[in-house]
Amino acid sequence: MSLHTDDHRQQQAAQPAAPLRLTPDVVAFIQSPVSILVSSQGIDGLPVLARAIVALVTPDGDRIRLCLRSHDAAALLQGAAAHGQVAAMFSRPSTSETIQIKGNAVVIEDTLPADDAARRRYLPAMITELMPLGHGAELVACIVSDHGSPLRILSFRPSVVFDQTPGPGAGEPRSR
Amino acid sequence: MNMQCTEPDETTAAMPADPCRGIWLDSIRACLEGVIPVGMATLAADGTPNVTYISQVHYVDPAHVALTYQFFNKTRANLLANRVARLQLIDPVTACTYRMTVAYQHTETSGPVFESMRAKLTGIASHSGMAGIFKLAGADICNVIEIEAVPGDCLPAREPGASLLAALRRAMLCLSEQQDLSAALDRLTASLDAEMGIRHCAVLLADPNGHTLYTVASRGYQRSGIGAEIAVGDGVIGMAARESIAIRISHMTTDVNYARGVGKRMGLDAAQDAIPMPGLDQPGSQLAVPIRDRHGLLGVLFVESEQDLRFTYDHEDALGIIAIQLAAVIRRSAADVAPERGTPDTGVPRSLAPADPIDIRYYPANDSVFVGDDYLIKGVAGAIFWVLICAYADQGRTEFTNRELRLNPDLHLPAYSENLEARLILLERRLNEKDRGIAIEKTGRGRFRLRVDRPVNRIAMQAEDSQRSKV
């Protein structure tokens, strides 16, 4: 188990003036075998969260596309669409390296062939990532497979990236 | 686990009793073992979402969990502002996912829950290479509002195998059949091994002074450590005693506060009379459960393993139940029973085999006793031994009763708080380990015999001038 120091301490950094352009290392990281949790405000006014089973950054680097299982992410999809703001955490199990990206301009849409291709790569990559930590392939598959659920894409425009890797720098904005 | 008996209150009464409304927290405790990190979502006052992993979600009771508060970060600010968070948890065996809605109630910065979480966090921090960096600032107690199962595939529950409940029943049966404390301790440690696969364990009893615990039984160690003492409040064992709560570490910790052997030694300098605590060099998991009844703390049952994550909340419960039974046995043994009729003394002095006399040195300052050059015991057990050896030397007595010891003015025993039986067990086991031709043998309820197989020289050590008498 990893030890987490949670999140950012400087909320004022969450409102940058200029649109955020993700750096190549961040793009590479969130498209690598990382655990992804997504949250928003639900329509009941309470926080909602769900697991995404792959992430892709659009070629222009402006938006992040998160693939969600509609059967377990219904409340999140509904809330994010209504609320327009989203937070997504990306964490690599083997190193505990973790970032949180907050954003807005949420759009819920269908998957594209590129999303499906990324998702097919994601499951075996996550098994490879997690097996050395003692988690069996069956367990990993249960956690990150699509379970036969219809899939939806939650696309959003990132506004700020926070470093959440456990350690002294946890909670600091990573880039603007 | 909260070891106290509590009356149902409004919060527990508000728990979902109907499975249709939700899932019992008790049924998903495996999700809280820290094998798979728990996700936590909160909202800022303006509705901005935040999501993170949280280091530890601690089971408090069927209606409450406690969240680690290490830094005042965004998650905590949100929790204080909005009071509600949602957690996403995964069962490490079945992969079933659950979402839990919790409402912040208050923060505890001391006490049983805090100490239990703090001990656990040290193991997690050491495991993560973060020892010394992270400290528990508080335990954020939250009411569990609702738990829902997230739709999706799950694996079968753990394969049928050893049932902890069945093992517990057998262990309890073994314990209940024992007439005296010594036999009960032996059967208990054997049962933990045979029935639950717990290879390393120790039982410590509380000294009535309230400051120390002393080891009366152990199993699975090269050295038994019988007689070893640990201060209340020190390490996993001492903290379980101080807070009257189960303390469990699931990863080896490098935190010196929990490392074995740092307990303050009482009495003489450690060089002379410290018996090392029994223990594994590199424990992966440790669990200490208080032994107590309505009158107070009686001791601690301690188990450990080389494996990480060896013990679970279910083990806390199982050992907690055993501790209740053990408390009854201890309390019964402490009662001042009328001695049974003893084995008739033949009146024929034991013919001693030719052997060199052995010195028995007694230090009144702390009642410590040395047999030859070996430290034997100190404190109440040391004083008892000196009374016995003097009665043997001066009057030729070998048969004794617990009751006469309790009434012996030289021992200054408190009327009811001292467990004489436990002290005699301690003395008996130390004498057996030293194997220097002196032993105590139980001859009936409340009755025992001192066996001395070689000549002894009594030496009462005074501050300036030692007195010596030969037997």
Side-chain angles (χ1 to χ4, degrees), chain B residues 35-62:
Chain B
V35 179
I36 298 176
V38 175
M40 177 173 175
T42 55
L43 297 175
D46 66 356
T48 304
N50 192 82
V51 62
T52 183
Y53 278 147
I54 182 161
S55 298
Q56 194 187 145
V57 180
H58 180 81
Y59 173 87
V60 177
D61 62 33

Side-chain angles (χ1 to χ4, degrees), chain A residues 51 53 69 71-72 119 138-151, chain B residues 95-97 150-154:
Chain A
R51 176 175 293 274
I53 56 172
R69 298 170 288 212
H71 71 188
D72 76 39
R119 188 175 52 78
E138 271 190 314
L139 183 104
V140 179
C142 272
I143 295 170
V144 301
S145 69
D146 63 18
H147 297 170
S149 166
L151 301 175
Chain B
C96 291
T97 301
V150 175
D153 298 337
C154 292

Side-chain angles (χ1 to χ4, degrees), chain A residues 114-150:
Chain A
D115 302 311
D116 293 328
R119 188 175 52 78
R120 284 193 293 273
R121 291 192 299 271
Y122 181 73
L123 173 58
M126 282 297 279
I127 290 173
T128 303
E129 171 76 13
L130 283 161
M131 281 189 76
L133 302 181
H135 300 298
E138 271 190 314
L139 183 104
V140 179
C142 272
I143 295 170
V144 301
S145 69
D146 63 18
H147 297 170
S149 166

